[in-house]
Amino acid sequence: MPTEGVTSSVRGCWIRWTINLRRKFHLDAARPKWAKLDGEILQVRSCMEGAFADEAVLDGVSERVGDAAFEEEIVQDMGMEDEEVEVGGGQQSVENGMNAAEVVTFNNPKEAARIYEEYSRVKGFAVRQGKKIKNKRGEFVWITYLCNREGFRNKKWLEKQDRKREHKVVTRCGCPAKMRIKPRIGTGKWFVARFVNDHNHDLLPQKFVEYLPAHRRISDVDIAHMDSLRQVGISIPKIYESIAAQAGGFNRLSFTKRDMYNEVRRQRSLQNGDVNAALRFLEVASRRDEKMYWRYEVGVGQHMCDLFWSDGRSQEDFKLFGDVLAFDATYGRNKYNLPVVVFSGVNNHNQTCVFATAMVSSETQSSYVWVLRKFLECMDGRAPKAIITDGDRSMRLAIHEVFPDAHHRLCAWHLLKNAISNVCMPRFTSLFRHCMLADIEVEEFELQWEAMVSECGVKDHKWVKDLYSKKLLWATAYIRGRFFAGIRTTSRCESLHAKLGRFVESRYGILEFITNFQQCVEFLRDNEDELEFRSSYGTPVIQTEFPELEKSGAMNFTREIFARYRESLKRCVRVTVLGCIESEGTCTYVTQKYRRPEKRWSVTHHGMSDTFVCTCLRMESFRLPCVHILAVLVRLDIGSLPKSLVLQRWSKAAKVEMSGVNQVDNTEAFYRSRVGAFLQHCKRFARVACQSEENFKVYTEKVVKDTLRLEMINGDAGAGAGSPHAAQGVRDPIGVRTKGTGRANELVGSRAVKRRKCSTCGCLGHRRTRCPNGPRVTTSYTEQNTMPSQRMPNRDLTVSYAGNESNTCRRRVG
């Protein structure tokens, strides 16, 4: 019996095992196939570890590995224990003079799995991990890697009848291909103990291999890129196209669009950790912003029910622009369906600014009281002077409890909408709109109201009576003299909600919503900075007959407010000063519009304080000088606006004079300047690092590792801060249903049938065109062919409804 290559130290069990093995498998002792297999795998390993492996070489190696592979009956488990000699080890000589030290080994199972995975990619199949066997000491004695089509699908899943989804295609076909590795005793290395290369299915071409799930992976760089683009509202398909364009084509990507959706879903599936992650985010933000304020409230079962937060810049904005507050609830902005309440106002550029944000679990009076009290606490006890809402009862009661001195105004658009749904008379809606928005005296308002209810026959209507009892909350005649910054509706809130829809989705969790909402706030602040630049750069062209007053307005007001001031300055030429009545310390000027003798206003000038008061109260309502005061200034030949007529909230220097804002703004400015400077270096580095594929891979990996390390450092630093209101096991909120929940979430069988309602008489069962009480109007041919633009109703604060007078159904005659 040949015993070449076996030293005298080999024990008798090894000799007996070798003899039996050769008798059974007819092996050549000089060239054992295990040694040949190890040599081939070593060649595969050296080829795979290269950055760009030649496909022809890999194919040749795979063919040789296939030739050296054992048949299925040959590759039975050797069943070796720790004291047995491993196949391919010892002092056996191998092909090409390779000694035992040169036989292929792996440092760890992860390296073996990577090499086998690369081999499967070249051959056209995928790999999954099989059994992992341990000994009595808990150490792995072998690990098996299988073809992904090994085994068969359980019959119970194939025979299941009550499936809601279609069956997935069957991919398991019992493929026998596998590779088993075992540890080498005493060295810590791993070697191939079994290798089967026979597949019972067709291998995939190279262009289809990348579609196998095992070969699809999203790198950390691509995930970070995707997250940054999603924060600014870019959709997944657009992000996928952008990454493919950067990679040079869709075929060069190692993942699909579905993998990106799965990654987003994985990030969202933080079971009982979404709220805790959001609170940690707010805690880290509070260390960067000393004035960051956030509070939350938990309910039954430690589930979060309410959340409130406001950053330092929002609080500073409220100190200057918080005299008018508008807030409304928006729905469908998170996966828990929690209503989002955004507190907003108007800054010196007549632009919407955000003061605070809250998420509530229920739209009850107690929830709104909690939110408003936290708002008052956040703003150091400073309450707004005027509040605008949509008239929700819970909001109204909470405002009366927390802000009893604030004047509450109802949204004009919602009132018109309610008038259409409750009265269903186009004529009433038109007259009511005029009564509500017309700048008239109280006596005239009362006369118009009596005439309207008498004409429309709604004097005893319950909703009309209730509306009249709340006239102090919506009638301009009663609201005159109160400052609302020109806001009559909650349309600014609706516009803000529309902008918010570009940054958040209904599937977002609490953490995703907060981060993306802050991106939306940063977007608004960036627009504000741009408007600040436009107001401070350049001088407007003089267009009026009073250049001194116009220049004075341009120097004091921001660009947007100056445009309104200039319109008033142009119209002041229509006002005539009839006379002056002098008294002790004051002068009262009587003004009149051109050819309007019945309309007269009195402007009182207090010489000591240099203040002006007009009976039209426009200065008190809008904090801008009215045409009557400007006419008096022209009469007095004053060349610059007195300080009493320039409100600080509308001036260019509004934020310059804001106390305590420098510290916050400097922190924000320093952060932005560092980011901008670092990005410039990154752009320069990217240009040189991406010139070659090798440098791109090396430096990308380094950047990702350093980024993860810094993120871990910052996260560890934040975990030990110990905030007094830090989250301790707060559970995610429970999904709720609110008045803003859409019908899409309702079960089809539970939806009530919506009956058609006539817009003329308000009765159910017929339309306006079939109404028996509706007038039958016949029109001429020319009236029927009137251009649509000539019948277009006024769009200023109008509400579209079915059946207005301009669109009354016309029936043809004859």
Side-chain angles (χ1 to χ4, degrees):
M1 302 227 171
T3 58
E4 293 85 346
V6 181
T7 61
S8 59
S9 61
V10 179
R11 290 173 292 182
C13 61
W14 161 246
I15 298 175
R16 289 192 301 271
W17 177 83
T18 305
I19 295 173
N20 295 332
L21 183 66
R22 290 172 183 168
R23 287 178 178 176
K24 185 175 182 179
F25 302 136
H26 308 286
L27 300 181
D28 185 2
R31 301 184 61 183
K33 289 190 176 182
W34 282 111
K36 181 179 179 181
L37 177 61
D38 287 343
E40 296 293 349
I41 294 180
L42 180 62
Q43 296 182 32
V44 174
R45 176 183 178 185
S46 62
C47 292
M48 295 301 178
E49 290 180 345
F52 298 95
D54 189 356
E55 294 184 2
V57 175
L58 293 177
D59 291 339
V61 172
S62 62
E63 291 178 1
R64 293 196 300 273
V65 173
D67 294 339
F70 287 11
E71 296 180 359
E72 186 172 1
E73 62 177 358
I74 299 178
V75 292
Q76 298 177 358
D77 184 28
M78 302 301 178
M80 294 182 300
E81 302 296 336
D82 293 341
E83 65 273 6
E84 293 179 334
V85 179
E86 300 87 346
V87 178
Q91 300 295 326
Q92 296 181 6
S93 61
V94 296
E95 191 177 16
N96 298 327
M98 188 182 304
N99 55 34
E102 297 175 345
V103 174
V104 60
T105 57
F106 307 109
N107 295 323
N108 49 60
K110 188 178 296 185
E111 180 183 3
R114 179 178 60 82
I115 294 176
Y116 191 47
E117 181 181 352
E118 292 295 334
Y119 171 75
S120 67
R121 186 190 299 269
V122 175
K123 294 292 291 184
F125 67 99
V127 177
R128 61 183 176 90
Q129 185 173 282
K131 292 184 179 180
K132 300 170 67 175
I133 307 300
K134 293 183 180 180
N135 56 17
K136 296 180 180 180
R137 295 187 297 271
E139 300 172 348
F140 288 107
V141 296
W142 77 55
I143 300 176
T144 306
Y145 300 97
L146 310 170
C147 174
N148 68 324
R149 304 191 67 173
E150 185 271 344
F152 299 93
R153 183 178 296 183
N154 198 320
K155 290 185 178 181
K156 70 175 182 178
W157 304 118
L158 297 176
E159 299 173 356
K160 189 176 181 180
Q161 300 296 330
D162 55 341
R163 292 184 59 90
K164 296 182 179 180
R165 296 183 180 181
E166 182 65 26
H167 286 276
K168 291 184 178 180
V169 296
V170 178
T171 57
R172 299 289 183 91
C173 60
C175 179
K178 67 176 70 175
M179 182 182 77
R180 177 175 295 172
I181 60 174
K182 291 186 177 183
R184 189 184 299 277
I185 301 174
T187 62
K189 303 291 185 179
W190 293 72
F191 68 97
V192 177
R194 175 183 289 184
F195 185 85
V196 180
N197 197 35
D198 294 333
H199 296 266
N200 63 355
H201 56 87
D202 295 333
L203 300 179
L204 293 175
Q206 285 299 312
K207 64 178 181 179
F208 296 145
V209 172
E210 298 298 334
Y211 290 100
L212 291 173
H215 296 317
R216 300 202 312 255
R217 288 186 179 88
I218 306 181
S219 63
D220 295 335
V221 177
D222 292 327
I223 293 176
H225 189 191
M226 178 185 67
D227 293 340
S228 63
L229 294 180
R230 287 183 64 245
Q231 289 179 358
V232 294
I234 301 179
S235 62
I236 293 296
K238 294 297 182 182
I239 298 175
Y240 184 69
E241 294 175 7
S242 174
I243 297 178
Q246 295 178 4
F250 293 96
N251 58 336
R252 293 182 176 272
L253 296 181
S254 60
F255 55 90
T256 62
K257 213 166 15 178
R258 173 52 52 191
D259 297 325
M260 299 179 69
Y261 282 112
N262 292 339
E263 174 62 26
V264 173
R265 185 171 63 252
R266 187 192 65 81
Q267 295 178 5
R268 290 172 179 163
S269 62
L270 299 174
Q271 297 296 332
N272 292 330
D274 185 20
V275 172
N276 293 325
L279 297 181
R280 286 194 298 269
F281 172 82
L282 293 174
E283 186 176 358
V284 172
S286 63
R287 293 197 303 273
R288 187 172 62 249
D289 184 359
E290 296 180 355
K291 296 186 178 182
M292 182 73 183
Y293 180 94
W294 55 281
R295 294 290 186 271
Y296 67 94
E297 188 177 34
V298 296
V300 180
Q302 286 297 105
H303 290 281
M304 191 203 76
C305 54
D306 300 322
L307 176 64
F308 176 91
W309 74 93
S310 174
D311 60 6
R313 181 165 176 176
S314 296
Q315 298 171 35
E316 295 295 341
D317 286 342
F318 181 80
K319 290 181 180 179
L320 187 59
F321 311 121
D323 44 5
V324 179
L325 178 66
F327 67 93
D328 190 16
T330 180
Y331 311 94
R333 301 300 184 185
N334 52 83
K335 67 180 182 181
Y336 309 104
N337 201 31
L338 299 180
V340 179
V341 182
V342 182
F343 297 88
S344 59
V346 180
N347 59 16
N348 55 335
H349 299 281
N350 196 33
Q351 181 198 37
T352 302
C353 58
V354 177
F355 298 142
T357 313
M359 303 178 73
V360 295
S361 58
S362 61
E363 296 178 279
T364 59
Q365 180 182 351
S366 59
S367 296
Y368 283 123
V369 167
W370 182 87
V371 170
L372 292 180
R373 285 178 177 172
K374 296 306 174 183
F375 181 87
L376 191 64
E377 178 184 340
C378 171
M379 303 305 172
D380 297 329
R382 180 178 177 178
K385 298 178 181 179
I387 300 177
I388 303 173
T389 67
D390 60 355
D392 182 78
R393 184 176 182 273
S394 300
M395 284 186 183
R396 186 170 67 252
L397 295 176
I399 291 171
H400 181 71
E401 180 179 347
V402 182
F403 303 137
D405 298 331
H407 189 82
H408 185 197
R409 181 172 185 173
L410 301 180
C411 172
W413 186 87
H414 285 86
L415 290 176
L416 291 174
K417 181 181 178 181
N418 293 336
I420 295 173
S421 60
N422 288 278
V423 182
C424 302
M425 293 182 61
R427 178 61 177 171
F428 173 83
T429 305
S430 178
L431 295 176
F432 170 64
R433 178 179 179 275
H434 182 267
C435 289
M436 177 174 56
L437 303 178
D439 191 6
I440 55 180
E441 299 295 334
V442 174
E443 295 78 8
E444 187 175 355
F445 168 81
E446 294 294 341
L447 293 175
Q448 291 188 8
W449 180 269
E450 290 295 332
M452 177 187 66
V453 296
S454 299
E455 178 183 348
C456 299
V458 293
K459 192 171 184 178
D460 298 330
H461 197 285
K462 182 179 179 180
W463 182 85
V464 176
K465 288 183 178 181
D466 182 67
L467 180 66
Y468 180 76
S469 64
K470 302 175 183 176
K471 59 184 177 181
L472 297 180
L473 303 181
W474 53 265
T476 304
Y478 287 94
I479 294 177
R480 279 201 316 162
R482 298 182 182 272
F483 180 64
F484 283 94
I487 304 177
R488 295 184 293 189
T489 67
T490 57
S491 58
R492 285 184 177 270
C493 298
E494 302 296 338
S495 176
L496 181 60
H497 297 163
K499 291 185 178 68
L500 182 61
R502 296 167 47 189
F503 292 86
V504 300
E505 298 177 3
S506 59
R507 295 174 293 177
Y508 280 4
I510 305 297
L511 176 61
E512 278 186 307
F513 176 84
I514 293 177
T515 55
N516 286 270
F517 179 82
Q518 291 302 115
Q519 288 289 333
C520 179
V521 174
E522 291 297 327
F523 172 76
L524 296 177
R525 290 171 178 172
D526 181 71
N527 292 341
E528 180 183 349
D529 294 339
E530 182 180 358
L531 293 175
E532 196 78 28
F533 163 75
R534 292 183 179 181
S535 297
S536 61
Y537 186 77
T539 304
V541 178
I542 303 301
Q543 300 180 9
T544 65
E545 300 177 2
F546 314 106
E548 291 80 7
L549 288 176
E550 188 174 357
K551 287 182 180 179
S552 177
M555 293 176 59
N556 288 281
F557 297 119
T558 59
R559 190 68 58 86
E560 286 69 23
I561 303 303
F562 169 72
R564 297 189 175 190
Y565 164 77
R566 183 163 56 184
E567 290 299 322
S568 299
L569 193 60
K570 290 179 180 179
R571 290 187 286 109
C572 76
V573 296
R574 305 176 185 175
V575 179
T576 304
V577 180
L578 300 179
C580 175
I581 302 175
E582 296 185 4
S583 60
E584 185 179 356
T586 62
C587 294
T588 302
Y589 299 89
V590 181
T591 62
Q592 172 190 315
K593 278 191 176 182
Y594 176 70
R595 298 184 64 84
R596 296 284 300 275
E598 72 282 359
K599 294 289 186 179
R600 292 188 179 185
W601 295 269
S602 298
V603 179
T604 303
H605 178 217
H606 299 271
M608 295 296 295
S609 59
D610 197 18
T611 58
F612 295 83
V613 178
C614 181
T615 55
C616 71
L617 300 180
R618 180 178 175 84
M619 182 63 193
E620 289 74 15
S621 301
F622 301 98
R623 303 297 172 90
L624 284 174
C626 61
V627 293
H628 317 111
I629 295 179
L630 293 176
V632 173
L633 295 179
V634 173
R635 169 72 177 271
L636 298 177
D637 198 22
I638 297 178
S640 61
L641 286 173
K643 292 184 178 180
S644 61
L645 299 180
V646 180
L647 188 65
Q648 183 183 3
R649 77 171 334 276
W650 297 132
S651 65
K652 294 180 180 179
K655 290 200 170 184
V656 175
E657 300 178 5
M658 193 160 49
S659 61
V661 74
N662 291 334
Q663 180 180 0
V664 177
D665 281 354
N666 285 339
T667 303
E668 187 77 15
F670 289 154
Y671 174 75
R672 291 186 178 183
S673 62
R674 288 194 298 266
V675 171
F678 191 77
L679 285 177
Q680 294 300 323
H681 293 294
C682 290
K683 291 179 181 179
R684 180 182 176 186
F685 177 77
R687 284 196 297 268
V688 296
C690 297
Q691 292 180 359
S692 65
E693 186 72 19
E694 182 178 359
N695 290 336
F696 170 76
K697 292 183 177 180
V698 171
Y699 290 107
T700 299
E701 184 177 358
K702 290 183 178 180
V703 169
V704 171
K705 288 182 178 180
D706 292 341
T707 303
L708 294 176
R709 180 176 59 83
L710 292 177
E711 289 177 349
M712 292 296 296
I713 293 175
N714 294 335
D716 293 341
S723 175
H725 47 269
Q728 297 294 337
V730 182
R731 303 179 65 183
D732 293 347
I734 302 175
V736 298
R737 286 192 59 84
T738 62
K739 67 178 184 180
T741 305
R743 290 171 55 86
N745 295 332
E746 299 180 9
L747 297 177
V748 177
S750 63
R751 296 182 184 177
V753 179
K754 185 176 180 180
R755 300 187 61 186
R756 190 180 299 275
K757 188 175 182 180
C758 178
S759 60
T760 301
C761 64
C763 299
L764 299 175
H766 64 272
R767 295 179 293 177
R768 170 177 55 86
T769 56
R770 302 290 184 180
C771 181
N773 300 326
R776 297 186 178 181
V777 182
T778 58
T779 59
S780 62
Y781 175 80
T782 57
E783 195 174 7
Q784 291 180 1
N785 289 274
T786 305
M787 294 298 292
S789 59
Q790 299 175 3
R791 304 195 305 267
M792 186 68 67
N794 185 10
R795 298 186 65 179
D796 182 23
L797 282 174
T798 59
V799 181
S800 60
Y801 46 80
N804 52 25
E805 293 180 348
S806 60
N807 293 323
T808 304
C809 178
R810 298 178 175 87
R811 298 181 180 178
R812 293 188 178 182
V813 181

